[in-house]
Amino acid sequence: MRKNAIEHKLGRNRVDDVAEDSVEKERETAEEWKEKGNVEYKKENWTLALEYYKNGLGYDMYNSKLHSNTCMALIKLRRWSQALKHAEQCIALEPNWVKGYYMKGLILSGESKIEQAQVVLRQAAKIEPGNTQIKALLDEVESRVEYVESRLRRRKPAKDKGPEQPEPQAADDSGNDNDNDRAVEDVDSDEEYCDDDGCRTPKKITLKVTRADVINTAMDLAAAAVGVAVVWWFVTQRD
């Protein structure tokens, strides 16, 4: 009985040793794929490097360096959503390694999610305050955030003023009220323009046409018609 127990224990130890050897070999194979990927990455062969890194992850999915390199290759290929997954995997595997935060901030910045990028990069700066890469990217992102916020602040006063009221018009010389005037509007563009007072939609250009203008134009046309008729009468009399 005791002999059987000892043999069973020895057999289990052998299985554990074999399993450990297998895991170690898989890690070594993963490292070999990583080195191949690094060679292609330096040659700027991003697609081939990505393929090699993914092959390595097939042998060791918990290798944070492989996730990092895979993420960087995907960033070079501007495949943001896939890159983000590997950046987050880096953070999950090594929470105190700033590379994962840096890559995530880079991806969010590339997707124009600058406020989210700012939060992530500030976390990275707390972990490693002296990291120049983190500082440079954080400065760039914060400048973009400040620019957007300044644009919003400049737009707000123009919106708070409300719609502009038209200025009262004086009666014209003909004695007609301006209620009978007709307005012709022409707007060149709906785009906003900015000056020292802020950003707003361009004002509409309004042209006023009074009843007196219409009457005068009609009289001019009638006079021209009479002149043409008189000339025609003289021409027909000669014939």
Side-chain angles (χ1 to χ4, degrees), residues 126 146 200 206:
K126 288 180 181 179
E146 177 60 28
R200 53 195 175 280
T206 303

Side-chain angles (χ1 to χ4, degrees), residues 28 34 41 45 48-49 62 71 79 81 91 106 119 121 132 141 146-147 157 167 169 172 191 214 234:
E28 290 175 0
K34 180 168 74 69
Y41 188 93
N45 295 330
L48 186 56
Y62 299 108
C71 181
R79 289 157 64 174
S81 59
I91 295 172
L106 194 64
V119 173
L121 291 169
T132 55
V141 168
E146 177 60 28
Y147 173 75
E167 297 181 359
Q169 301 290 332
D172 56 30
E191 296 181 357
V214 175
F234 276 110

Side-chain angles (χ1 to χ4, degrees), residues 13-29:
N13 288 340
R14 289 194 195 98
V15 171
D16 292 341
D17 290 341
V18 170
E20 187 174 342
D21 289 342
S22 177
V23 170
E24 188 62 30
K25 287 181 180 179
E26 288 182 349
R27 288 176 179 169
E28 290 175 0
T29 304

Side-chain angles (χ1 to χ4, degrees), residues 126-204:
K126 288 180 181 179
I127 296 171
E128 195 172 315
N131 190 301
T132 55
Q133 271 189 317
I134 297 292
K135 186 179 183 304
L137 183 57
L138 180 57
D139 288 344
E140 178 190 336
V141 168
E142 288 185 335
S143 296
R144 291 170 65 187
V145 172
E146 177 60 28
Y147 173 75
V148 172
E149 290 177 349
S150 66
R151 292 271 298 180
L152 292 175
R153 285 195 299 268
R154 293 174 67 185
R155 288 180 183 180
K156 189 176 180 181
K159 291 181 179 179
D160 292 343
K161 290 178 182 178
E164 296 185 1
Q165 299 296 327
E167 297 181 359
Q169 301 290 332
D172 56 30
D173 295 337
S174 64
N176 295 322
D177 294 333
N178 286 324
D179 292 340
N180 295 322
D181 294 345
R182 298 174 60 193
V184 179
E185 297 182 351
D186 182 24
V187 180
D188 292 335
S189 173
D190 291 332
E191 296 181 357
E192 291 188 344
Y193 68 95
C194 300
D195 55 20
D196 294 336
D197 297 327
C199 300
R200 53 195 175 280
T201 305
K203 297 178 180 179
K204 292 183 176 181

